[in-house]
Amino acid sequence: MAPGHYFWAIFYFACLCSASLANNAKVNFREKEKKILDQILGAGKYDARIRPSGINGTDGPAIVRINLFVRSIMTISDIKMEYSVQLTFREQWLDERLKFNDIGGRLKYLTLTEANRVWMPDLFFSNEKEGHFHNIIMPNVYIRIFPYGSVLYSIRISLTLACPMNLKLYPLDRQVCSLRMASYGWTTADLVFLWKEDDPVQVVKNLHLPRFTLEKFLTDYCNSKTNTGEYSCLKVDLLFKREFSYYLIQIYIPCCMLVIVSWVSFWLDQGAVPARVSLGVTTLLTMATQTSGINASLPPVSYTKAIDVWTGVCLTFVFGALLEFALVNYASRSADRAADIQRENMKKKRREMEQVSLDAASDLLDTDSNATFAMLRQCEVHMQAPKRPNCCRTWWSRFPTRQCSRSKRIDVISRITFPLVFALFNLVYWSTYLFREEDED
């Protein structure tokens, strides 16, 4: 072949290649998507009412794999026993009726925004109280169909879910809140839910809760049997630990301060009745208000909570300090009455002794002066009260057993007894509930 013929052959082949590339560049893949969707979802070709076949095209149950992404946890309510969560919910299953040609790998997947165009699992959240989809600016939902027939359904939803709580250790407790998903109408013979193998549950990294910390989460299965059959069910348990520092600052330390303030009355004078009564009544009312505020933020449960034990004992100590003053006041008034009676008896005896002395003196006026002087001397010695020696010098010797010192002794004993008993209560309280918390873990 002549060299000119080679040149024209090469030129013609280059023109054909450039034309082929130009035609490929002008391919509208969006138009191809429309044609493929019309082809696989056209009337008479696909029925969304019929579930997909099982594994390998068998008549077994359709397998749906679930994946969750927890975007945020808004509130955890103790009084309503519920929590609110926003999550991205994903389902994936295989429907061989939706296979299509990917044009040599150039068409990775098809996207739908209408869930009613394809078969959907009838999943529902069994412990849901409220829920809604997100439609700003457009509905936050999509369906992807892959060339081999796999369907991915993703939607963003917000849910308010029931969370039954055990508040016996409140506020030293941990709570487990569940998210349960189950099939409503399809039994396990037709539909089975499974967790995705890799990372079935994902949680946003910067998750912040005001009074709780998300320690961990566990995925599990919770299939349920009824008289209509067995239904597939999945659940994820979220373990929340209550932040104790908030309650330490807001409840425990103020209660301790109120109890200690009530002890100030033990150092006040017994006669300062207005000061001691005002102090006792004020601390008692403040403690009662504190207890009422705590109970207002909690549900009326039938068992005793850890915070109930604390506030009840603190209230008892404050009330005990007020009763202690009542006892001191009673002892003081009893001592005053006893002193008045003793004073009257002494005056009466003194008058009797003076009368006896005068009578004896009148009878002895005519006798010898020395004998009279000796007799009067003996009478004076007889009238002097004998002195009792104090032999025991112990701790109790500072508090004589006379009636007038009983009130002071009660105050001094209370200064020692109340702090010791309160310290012992703290030791028992924290040891008991902290160890019980570890046992619960």
Side-chain angles (χ1 to χ4, degrees), residues 88-107:
T88 298
F89 174 73
R90 304 186 186 98
E91 295 176 304
Q92 192 164 10
W93 65 93
L94 182 63
D95 193 342
E96 295 183 352
R97 297 173 295 175
L98 299 176
K99 289 182 178 180
F100 63 89
N101 183 12
D102 60 353
I103 315 178
R106 296 183 181 181
L107 195 60

Side-chain angles (χ1 to χ4, degrees), residues 34-153:
K34 179 182 179 302
K35 291 182 179 180
I36 293 174
L37 288 174
D38 292 340
Q39 179 182 354
I40 62 178
L41 298 177
K45 295 182 179 180
Y46 184 88
D47 193 343
R49 298 172 298 177
I50 308 301
R51 72 169 179 85
S53 58
I55 299 176
N56 298 326
T58 62
D59 195 32
I63 304 299
V64 179
R65 299 189 180 276
I66 306 297
N67 168 244
L68 299 177
F69 176 64
V70 180
R71 292 181 172 272
S72 64
I73 298 176
M74 280 75 76
T75 58
I76 301 177
S77 174
D78 296 316
I79 190 168
K80 294 183 179 180
M81 291 196 176
E82 64 184 20
Y83 72 105
S84 301
V85 60
Q86 182 186 125
L87 50 87
T88 298
F89 174 73
R90 304 186 186 98
E91 295 176 304
Q92 192 164 10
W93 65 93
L94 182 63
D95 193 342
E96 295 183 352
R97 297 173 295 175
L98 299 176
K99 289 182 178 180
F100 63 89
N101 183 12
D102 60 353
I103 315 178
R106 296 183 181 181
L107 195 60
K108 295 183 179 180
Y109 53 80
L110 303 174
T111 301
L112 290 176
T113 56
E114 300 175 356
N116 57 356
R117 297 288 301 275
V118 296
W119 176 87
M120 293 289 299
D122 59 343
L123 181 142
F124 76 104
F125 298 93
S126 59
N127 60 333
E128 173 203 355
K129 287 187 174 182
E130 295 178 358
H132 67 273
F133 302 115
H134 293 267
N135 298 316
I136 301 174
I137 299 175
M138 292 293 293
N140 298 165
V141 58
Y142 68 79
I143 299 175
R144 290 177 180 174
I145 304 175
F146 295 88
Y148 52 91
S150 178
V151 181
L152 174 63
Y153 173 73

Side-chain angles (χ1 to χ4, degrees), residues 280-435:
V281 172
T282 302
T283 53
L284 183 62
L285 293 177
T286 307
M287 192 67 216
T289 304
Q290 180 87 346
T291 304
S292 300
I294 295 169
N295 293 329
S297 62
L298 293 173
V301 295
S302 58
Y303 48 82
T304 302
K305 304 178 289 294
I307 195 66
D308 294 335
V309 176
W310 175 264
T311 55
V313 172
C314 290
L315 188 62
T316 302
F317 270 93
V318 174
F319 184 66
L322 187 59
L323 290 182
E324 188 271 348
F325 169 67
L327 183 61
V328 167
N329 193 297
Y330 174 77
S332 179
R333 286 187 290 107
S334 299
D336 292 341
R337 286 196 299 268
D340 292 340
I341 294 173
Q342 186 178 6
R343 194 176 300 109
E344 290 296 330
N345 292 335
M346 290 296 294
K347 289 181 179 179
K348 185 177 180 181
K349 289 181 180 180
R350 188 176 297 108
R351 286 195 297 268
E352 292 177 354
M353 294 298 295
E354 290 177 354
Q355 186 64 34
V356 171
S357 300
L358 291 175
D359 293 340
S362 61
D363 293 338
L364 297 177
L365 284 175
D366 298 333
T367 59
D368 186 61
S369 60
N370 292 332
T372 303
F373 177 78
M375 185 177 295
L376 292 174
R377 181 71 177 179
Q378 183 178 1
C379 184
E380 290 178 0
V381 172
H382 179 71
M383 291 177 60
Q384 292 179 356
K387 296 181 180 180
R388 298 179 181 178
N390 188 3
C391 300
C392 298
R393 294 187 177 275
T394 59
W395 185 76
W396 286 98
S397 64
R398 286 179 284 177
F399 315 112
T401 57
R402 292 182 298 117
Q403 187 78 8
C404 61
S405 63
R406 287 182 182 177
S407 57
K408 181 179 179 182
R409 189 170 359 114
I410 293 173
D411 271 343
V412 175
I413 293 175
S414 299
R415 296 173 191 173
I416 301 173
T417 304
F418 273 71
L420 285 179
V421 175
F422 190 68
L424 180 62
F425 161 71
N426 274 269
L427 178 63
V428 174
Y429 179 87
W430 296 113
S431 301
T432 301
Y433 283 102
L434 290 178
F435 287 144

Side-chain angles (χ1 to χ4, degrees), residues 231-285:
Y231 297 90
S232 182
C233 175
L234 303 179
K235 74 171 182 176
V236 53
D237 292 331
L238 305 173
L239 178 60
F240 295 103
K241 180 183 179 182
R242 199 181 299 271
E243 289 292 340
F244 179 68
S245 58
Y246 169 81
Y247 301 93
L248 180 65
I249 297 173
Q250 297 294 327
I251 296 176
Y252 284 91
I253 293 179
C255 288
C256 282
M257 295 174 64
L258 286 173
V259 172
I260 295 173
V261 167
S262 68
W263 298 341
V264 174
S265 63
F266 303 154
W267 276 266
L268 296 180
D269 187 73
Q270 304 166 15
V273 176
R276 297 188 70 162
V277 170
S278 300
L279 183 63
V281 172
T282 302
T283 53
L284 183 62
L285 293 177

